[in-house]
Amino acid sequence: MVKYDLLNFTVRGDHTGNLVALEKGTDFPFDIKRVYYIWGTDKNAIRGRHAHRKLEQVIVCTSGSCDFILDDGHERATVHLDNPAVGLHIKSNIWREFTNFSPDCVVMVLASEHYDESDYIRDYQQFKMEIAK
Ligand code: TYD
């Protein structure tokens, strides 16, 4: 089984709408150092196509939907994200690709480290080699 967690955030909602607050130390698995978001993506584009050596991420589809394909080098799992109150928690050494974007899809990524290109494994064969060590 590919290892990942789906985090169910506390929703503070009332008749006027909903709010999720993500704060260090409460309801969140790591200290957030970076946030980025992706939108306006072509439906059939495939993004990601990499793994991280150390980075942990929580991925939230804050609007619309998309699919995350996760691969630990042995098995694959597809996670459909379509709920702003759910976070997909991925730790290191998981190859990820994401696709099937709805037109209104906004993907927000909360990351445990600053951007560091040397933490990326962008070649699938290299990924397989590193996890076999
Ligand atoms: P990339 O990681 O390839 O995006 P995706 O995994 O969604 O396909 O990043 C696209 C570009 O943005 C690449 O040139 C690196 C840059 N980038 C940053 O400068 N900072 C960041 O935090 C991220 C995630 C990407």
Side-chain angles (χ1 to χ4, degrees):
M1 293 278 277
V2 183
K3 276 193 191 158
Y4 66 87
D5 289 311
L6 289 174
L7 311 177
N8 290 300
F9 303 133
T10 301
V11 179
R12 295 162 212 284
D14 62 21
H15 67 283
T16 64
N18 302 310
L19 180 151
V20 167
L22 304 173
E23 198 169 323
K24 176 177 170 179
T26 46
D27 277 350
F28 209 80
F30 53 78
D31 290 355
I32 299 160
K33 287 205 183 145
R34 176 166 54 107
V35 177
Y36 62 94
Y37 43 96
I38 296 161
W39 77 101
T41 313
D42 284 349
K43 180 175 172 38
N44 297 315
I46 300 176
R47 297 204 54 144
R49 292 186 196 266
H50 63 254
H52 286 284
R53 296 187 169 94
K54 286 200 184 125
L55 190 76
E56 283 187 52
Q57 294 174 314
V58 170
I59 298 154
V60 185
C61 196
T62 56
S63 167
S65 63
C66 66
D67 290 338
F68 267 78
I69 299 150
L70 307 177
D71 180 336
D72 63 6
H74 305 285
E75 287 183 88
R76 288 197 153 206
T78 300
V79 181
H80 182 69
L81 290 182
D82 62 0
N83 183 348
V86 171
L88 169 62
H89 181 202
I90 310 176
K91 293 186 182 170
S92 58
N93 291 322
I94 300 282
W95 185 266
R96 82 286 310 270
E97 298 179 0
F98 47 122
T99 187
N100 195 23
F101 299 91
S102 66
D104 57 346
C105 180
V106 182
V107 177
M108 179 176 71
V109 182
L110 305 133
S112 64
E113 300 296 337
H114 295 287
Y115 179 71
D116 174 10
E117 187 57 38
S118 71
D119 188 62
Y120 280 71
I121 310 170
R122 292 195 184 270
D123 178 80
Y124 189 75
Q125 291 313 318
Q126 173 73 19
F127 165 66
K128 291 277 277 185
M129 219 170 67
E130 291 198 22
I131 58 166
K133 279 180 193 163

